[in-house]
Amino acid sequence: MSVYLDYNASTPIDPRVLDVMIEVYRNDPGNADSRTHDFGEQARKVTENARKQIAELLGVTPEEVFFTSGSTESNNIVIQGLKDYAESTGKKHIITTAIEHKSVLNTVKYMESQGFDVDYVSPDLSGRVSAEDVLSRVREDTLLVSIMHVNNETGTIQPVKEIGDALADKDVFFHVDATQSCSKLVDQIRDLHYDMLSMSAHKFRGPQGIGALILRRRNYKLPPVKNVYFGGQQEHGLRPGTTPVALVAGMGKACELAQAEYKEEAIENKAIRDEMLNLLKKEGVRYELNGDPQYCIDSTLNICFDGVSSEALMLSTKQYCAISNGSACTSRSYDPSYVLAAMGIPVEKIESSVRISWGSGVNKRNILDNFKKMLSVIISLAI
Ligand code: PMP
């Protein structure tokens, strides 16, 4: 049986999260905004409890947490939602990176079509952008800097701490896409200066279809992000639509578990990574790591297997390991990864590269046995 090693695309739901959700589905049929009966009141209690659990994980206040359907929506709201403010202040310059998720890249592309000027900062071969490069582009009319914390394809940690510190006393909003980091780099996130942050429950053993946008107060004021579509007053009108109470409760529980277990998980993730790297060396396979390992999280390896097509590799080893070559949102296209291309990796190496990602709840022995079997097939494929 194949082992699932595509956690950066989506993680299996934790049974304890599922239990909480089933409870809610069974017992709490109310709408969290109904005021006329106890069912509404109970749904609201469940929702507010989850908001608190998220706030506690991140070290923010519950009033700064807004539920969305996931990071794609959070990223869209945060960028498009600043449009009115930008128009009224004349600040229409955005700085981002060339390796953001498509939900940022395609949103800023849309903003360009609306008269905004966007700077795309490229990383070097390490997979990181330089904080100086980002900061040197800040201008009088810069509205927003949007940088991901951890890249989904390479696992590379971006210098958001340095950038956030430098922007803290500037009149520029700083958005961090923390989709791949919020349950892992918990201490680092609590220590960050940012105005907005995106997160998504299905990346840390919560359900798909729920996430949050964090808006932090500066001098008691929330950033001037407006709703991008219209409806009721849910989430203070920022994200209208009936609150999906069971999903929200599941996300809250996933945050509670992350908070209790992130240190232990980090140790397990690192042990798996170390053993995978040992096996790569021991089995004599020709490979290179994409992204400088000193900046990578311990739950992702992006590996170039010299002389092996990644498509052939994934097909012929799929009975052992479920892996990918690029983010799931772009994997239907056969174009080489834009993230690896932006790092300056040549196309033939990109076409030999795969991403392996894991996380809590995995069976380490099972993973390593299957990884070893995968390597023996790769050796036979190498030209
Ligand atoms: N940003 C990053 C860095 C991601 O990895 C992803 C998911 N692959 C997203 C945003 C989009 O998240 P969601 O699936 O919640 O829309």
Side-chain angles (χ1 to χ4, degrees), residues 91-131:
K91 286 164 78 81
K92 293 177 80 171
H93 176 231
I94 297 173
I95 303 169
T96 189
T97 79
I99 55 168
E100 295 302 307
H101 187 262
K102 289 289 182 185
S103 54
V104 167
L105 286 177
N106 286 337
T107 308
V108 295
K109 212 157 111 196
Y110 164 72
M111 298 297 272
E112 277 183 308
S113 77
Q114 301 296 299
F116 283 69
D117 190 14
V118 181
D119 265 353
Y120 299 89
V121 181
S122 286
D124 59 19
L125 255 187
S126 73
R128 271 191 137 205
V129 295
S130 114

Side-chain angles (χ1 to χ4, degrees), residues 124-235:
D124 59 19
L125 255 187
S126 73
R128 271 191 137 205
V129 295
S130 114
E132 296 76 52
D133 194 355
V134 171
L135 294 167
S136 71
R137 294 167 193 251
V138 173
R139 321 188 302 219
E140 273 292 294
D141 64 338
T142 302
L143 169 74
L144 172 71
V145 175
S146 177
I147 312 274
M148 66 195 338
H149 194 183
V150 168
N151 182 268
N152 44 311
E153 291 195 31
T154 59
T156 322
I157 302 166
Q158 303 301 320
V160 289
K161 169 76 180 145
E162 295 88 315
I163 296 169
D165 285 350
L167 294 178
D169 58 0
K170 291 202 165 51
D171 189 16
V172 176
F173 295 109
F174 183 39
H175 167 236
V176 177
D177 178 352
T179 310
Q180 296 290 346
S181 63
C182 62
S183 68
K184 299 185 182 96
L185 304 181
V186 174
D187 298 321
Q188 290 87 332
I189 289 181
R190 288 176 179 164
D191 191 36
L192 275 187
H193 277 118
Y194 62 87
D195 299 289
M196 306 97 151
L197 178 142
S198 302
M199 65 192 293
S200 183
H202 74 103
K203 304 292 184 179
F204 56 101
R205 311 211 58 198
Q208 296 175 344
I210 184 77
L213 172 60
I214 311 302
L215 297 182
R216 301 229 62 190
R217 287 197 159 79
R218 264 205 221 190
N219 302 325
Y220 308 104
K221 263 174 68 184
L222 286 176
V225 178
K226 282 199 171 167
N227 49 310
V228 298
Y229 53 86
F230 298 87
Q233 270 310 301
Q234 294 95 347
E235 302 305 299

